[in-house]
Amino acid sequence: MEMFMKPWPYPRWVAHRGAGKLAPENTLAAFRFGASHGYRMFECDAKLSADGVVFLMHDATLDRTTNGRGIGGQQAWGALSQLDAGGWHSRAFAGEPLPTLENLARFCRANDHLLNIEIKPTPGTERETGEVVAREAARLWQGAAVPPLLTSFQVESLKGAQAVQPELPRGLLLDTLWNGWLDTALALGCTAIVCNHALWDAATVAQVHGAGLRSLSYTVNDDWAAQRLIDLGTDGIITDRVDLFSPAG
């Protein structure tokens, strides 16, 4: 069945939010840390500021990973750019700023690193966030040999990305195998399904590969789980444990 799948330019191992939990997630410090462990592909979370700047943050609220308060997407980039996004993690990273997607794109392109951008909209901005992230990704990676992979749990975000930049590869994120998931991914023109790793079994991998899509997993932090996915023939493993798994493995 795999003969029908398009060539896949991405490595098996992907560093979650830059370096997992070993550095403050979604900061340039984390991506540098992951790169120092040999990783050449990273996953990040992207959302919009109130004035339309694409920046990196997982949560809707600022409280967990910055010294700010409230909903990140409701603040202008000028205010967000002043926040400390590293001190919550450890003293060594205190003062680390929130990066824009443009900051990360420059780092990745200068070092030939690859990127999976999870579109993580502030609730209520799903379509707009998909559109803006896709436009920015197309601009920032113009001329790149390998574009970033855009993924999201939000179907509306993927629809937005598909509408404005259909040439960028997309993946549907799943935490359950909800009714119609594969048909939805195909309608969205996706090239990959990115599942909670526990959802994969031989039949589901065969179903996805038979449809010409790739099978990726999040967030894989144990040897036994990684080996199970490799034995199943899956295509990508997103991990926090950049210190445990060699990306050459």
Side-chain angles (χ1 to χ4, degrees), residues 130-179:
E131 292 175 353
V132 177
V133 170
R135 285 197 191 99
E136 272 289 272
R139 178 180 72 85
L140 294 168
W141 275 267
Q142 185 175 8
V146 181
L149 173 66
L150 306 182
T151 59
S152 191
F153 288 101
Q154 304 296 330
V155 170
E156 281 303 310
S157 294
L158 292 173
K159 283 182 179 176
Q162 180 185 28
V164 300
Q165 299 291 341
E167 75 288 353
L168 290 179
R170 291 173 298 284
L172 178 63
L173 275 158
L174 299 172
D175 54 8
T176 62
L177 296 177
W178 41 264
N179 188 39

Side-chain angles (χ1 to χ4, degrees), residues 67-238:
N67 62 340
R69 296 289 179 268
I71 295 172
Q74 293 179 353
Q75 299 193 25
W77 175 245
L80 294 168
S81 69
Q82 302 303 309
L83 296 176
D84 178 352
W88 68 273
H89 180 277
S90 53
R91 185 174 294 176
F93 293 107
E96 187 70 23
L98 286 169
T100 62
L101 182 62
E102 183 159 5
N103 296 146
L104 181 56
R106 287 178 183 158
F107 170 76
C108 287
R109 294 204 64 179
N111 292 284
D112 290 326
H113 296 323
L114 303 176
L115 194 62
N116 165 201
I117 304 169
E118 182 183 340
I119 304 167
K120 202 80 173 174
T122 302
T125 68
E126 288 80 8
R127 174 86 184 203
E128 179 192 8
T129 305
E131 292 175 353
V132 177
V133 170
R135 285 197 191 99
E136 272 289 272
R139 178 180 72 85
L140 294 168
W141 275 267
Q142 185 175 8
V146 181
L149 173 66
L150 306 182
T151 59
S152 191
F153 288 101
Q154 304 296 330
V155 170
E156 281 303 310
S157 294
L158 292 173
K159 283 182 179 176
Q162 180 185 28
V164 300
Q165 299 291 341
E167 75 288 353
L168 290 179
R170 291 173 298 284
L172 178 63
L173 275 158
L174 299 172
D175 54 8
T176 62
L177 296 177
W178 41 264
N179 188 39
W181 60 270
L182 184 56
D183 288 340
T184 299
L186 292 171
L188 290 165
C190 288
T191 59
I193 298 290
V194 189
C195 275
N196 180 314
H197 68 90
L199 297 176
W200 289 117
D201 58 24
T204 309
V205 173
Q207 186 181 12
V208 167
H209 283 176
L213 278 63
R214 300 290 178 153
S215 52
L216 284 72
S217 301
Y218 70 89
T219 304
V220 182
N221 295 330
D222 300 294
D223 278 317
W224 64 266
Q227 192 56 54
R228 188 181 84 88
L229 296 164
I230 291 167
D231 292 344
L232 282 171
T234 64
D235 302 290
I237 296 175
I238 300 170

Side-chain angles (χ1 to χ4, degrees), residues 30-44:
F31 299 103
R32 291 192 183 97
F33 196 92
S36 75
H37 282 74
Y39 278 73
R40 6 185 323 263
M41 185 168 178
F42 305 98
E43 183 264 1
C44 71

